[in-house]
Amino acid sequence: QSEAGRATISDYRENGQAIAEPVDLVVEAPIEVVIVGDATAGESLSLTHCSRCHKVDRAAKYSGMDSSPSFHAMRGFDDWFLRFSSFFTVSPHKALIIVQGSGIEKDESLITIAPIELTMTDINDIVAFVHTLEPLDLGRPIQMNP
């Protein structure tokens, strides 16, 4: 979207013909986050289930796994609400978490450890709890690898 970038795109030619032209950046309206869950219930659910892999309570020195980001770190992501609202739909969660009422069928033969069974109300409660967390300052914006 820089002037130099736009000029490069406009000036590029193949066989004397322009093959692309820059488009204007469309600024999307911000998404309003509506929290409907019970944060206290969400904290209990998170400590019971999520702390298997994630550090949920920063004071719990030995909880979570090193390869899983903490709740406080993920709370700092711009898209934290979307991630926490739909975490059960992506790997590795989808192989271990069954959410009643989600409409997502599970292949229980893929589950190699005790499965976690939640409801959509539980998901809302976890999101409400995460909303109360102070995001961890990681020093600079998170860069994701595709």
Side-chain angles (χ1 to χ4, degrees):
Q1 295 298 322
S2 69
E3 286 302 315
R6 294 175 68 78
T8 300
I9 292 170
S10 295
D11 293 344
Y12 184 77
R13 308 255 186 249
E14 284 188 10
N15 299 324
Q17 296 287 334
I19 61 166
E21 58 184 74
V23 296
D24 292 328
L25 178 64
V26 176
V27 179
E28 295 181 10
I31 298 172
E32 181 180 346
V33 174
V34 178
I35 306 299
V36 296
D38 177 343
T40 303
E43 179 178 16
S44 178
L45 286 163
S46 297
L47 290 169
T48 300
H49 300 297
C50 307
S51 62
R52 289 184 187 185
C53 301
H54 300 277
K55 184 176 285 282
V56 173
D57 179 356
R58 293 186 69 195
K61 189 174 183 178
Y62 298 107
S63 68
M65 300 182 333
D66 288 343
S67 60
S68 297
S70 74
F71 272 30
H72 288 81
M74 291 187 292
R75 177 60 176 86
F77 295 169
D78 289 340
D79 63 347
W80 75 267
F81 180 78
L82 178 62
R83 286 173 182 257
F84 276 91
S85 297
S86 61
F87 72 90
F88 57 91
T89 66
V90 297
S91 292
H93 301 107
K94 68 181 178 181
L96 124 98
I97 298 174
I98 299 165
V99 179
Q100 299 163 3
S102 68
I104 299 172
E105 295 295 323
K106 300 294 180 193
D107 180 355
E108 294 194 33
S109 68
L110 296 175
I111 300 174
T112 59
I113 62 174
I116 297 170
E117 294 190 16
L118 301 171
T119 65
M120 292 307 292
T121 299
D122 294 335
I123 301 300
N124 289 335
D125 293 345
I126 291 169
V127 170
F129 165 64
V130 172
H131 180 69
T132 70
L133 299 178
E134 181 71 28
L136 186 62
D137 181 2
L138 300 176
R140 63 181 177 158
I142 302 295
Q143 293 182 336
M144 307 291 180
N145 292 331

